[in-house]
Amino acid sequence: MKLTWYGHSAFRVEAAGAAILIDPFLSGNPAWGKGWEGPAEGVTHVLVTHGHNDHFGDAIDILKKTGAMLVANAEISDYIAGKGIDNVNPGNHGGTVDCGGFTTTFVNAVHSSAFTLDDGSNVYLGNPNGLVLHFPDDKTLYHMGDTDIFSDMALINELHQPDVGLVPVGDRFTMGGAVAALACRRFFKFETAIPCHYRTFGLLDQTPDRFVEGMDGSGTKVLLPEIGKALRL
């Protein structure tokens, strides 16, 4: 599995012959600042955890350009289909969808979800999700989306046993680093945890230090990837 972080919660995952963009907030992302075209090259799937602009991002432009499959909840899928995009694969909490070469399961996330239009009005885009990606011959990856800690994370681990966790740690809008570390230690047995959703904006924690400190001695490897630099897991 090859994984590239573009700042905030935007990741590219390459596995099982697929090139997957998750939460493609790219052109407006100050942590990246280089547009969506490079990260979207050759992409086969676009996955969106929830409808907030800093996660929905450039999904429509990327889907129109690449013909990639959208995997998202029913409301996001319907909204994007209404923009003239046909290759949508909707799901919702508890459901698993076949993405061709891998599956995606929609799990809970404790957050909110709406897309803000240019005039300041909001479009309701369903409930937020975490996404669990199962590959037949590779690691199982869990993108938590934006969430607080919740006790049913234990069931997500029991059902899916994810190897890799992409974990929001920036506080204010999600768990902070110390709480995120508690979630990982209490409910999961990740081989690798990668913190995200920090430093992008001034309101967020600027470092993942509290998460790194909280994970010390857990047995989980914490990786801090350089933005835009691919790593292999």
Side-chain angles (χ1 to χ4, degrees):
M1 176 182 293
K2 186 163 74 171
L3 184 144
T4 308
W5 182 44
Y6 295 104
H8 210 51
S9 296
F11 289 87
R12 178 173 170 131
V13 179
E14 296 176 50
I20 305 156
L21 279 179
I22 307 177
D23 284 357
F25 174 52
L26 297 162
S27 64
N29 180 351
W32 171 241
K34 298 181 182 179
W36 56 262
E37 291 82 359
E41 184 174 355
V43 72
T44 58
H45 300 76
V46 175
L47 278 56
V48 180
T49 62
H50 65 288
H52 286 156
N53 298 52
D54 60 335
H55 293 258
F56 188 103
D58 301 292
I60 291 175
D61 288 338
I62 293 168
L63 292 164
K64 286 183 175 179
K65 178 67 174 181
T66 64
M69 175 188 290
L70 171 73
V71 182
N73 70 24
E75 289 82 1
I76 292 173
S77 296
D78 287 347
Y79 180 75
I80 287 180
K83 303 297 182 181
I85 294 166
D86 297 325
N87 193 6
V88 298
N89 193 1
N92 220 319
H93 292 80
T96 297
V97 296
D98 185 349
C99 301
F102 70 98
T103 64
T104 300
T105 300
F106 297 79
V107 299
N108 198 28
V110 180
H111 195 58
S112 57
S113 177
F115 186 79
T116 303
L117 301 174
D118 290 341
D119 64 4
S121 62
N122 290 321
V123 177
Y124 166 72
L125 288 180
N127 292 315
N129 293 106
L131 301 173
V132 182
L133 280 59
H134 286 276
F135 302 94
D137 298 305
D138 215 323
K139 299 180 186 299
T140 297
L141 182 145
Y142 171 31
H143 191 306
M144 291 187 176
D146 278 4
T147 191
D148 188 15
I149 191 173
F150 55 97
S151 60
D152 281 352
M153 286 178 167
L155 287 175
I156 295 173
N157 184 68
E158 181 179 349
L159 290 167
H160 299 285
Q161 300 178 2
D163 304 297
V164 180
L166 308 181
V167 185
V169 304
D171 212 345
R172 186 176 288 264
F173 302 108
T174 70
M175 302 179 287
V179 174
L182 174 63
C184 291
R185 296 181 72 122
R186 178 170 295 185
F187 299 123
F188 297 99
K189 297 179 180 179
F190 294 129
E191 293 177 9
T192 305
I194 299 175
C196 62
H197 206 278
Y198 66 91
R199 197 172 59 216
T200 321
F201 310 109
L203 291 174
L204 303 180
D205 282 356
Q206 297 301 291
T207 75
D209 291 352
R210 290 189 297 169
F211 180 72
V212 174
E213 292 167 4
M215 292 298 289
D216 186 44
S218 67
T220 294
K221 182 178 182 180
V222 177
L223 286 181
L224 304 178
E226 185 179 345
I227 292 174
K229 300 293 184 181
L231 56 86
R232 292 195 176 272
L233 301 177

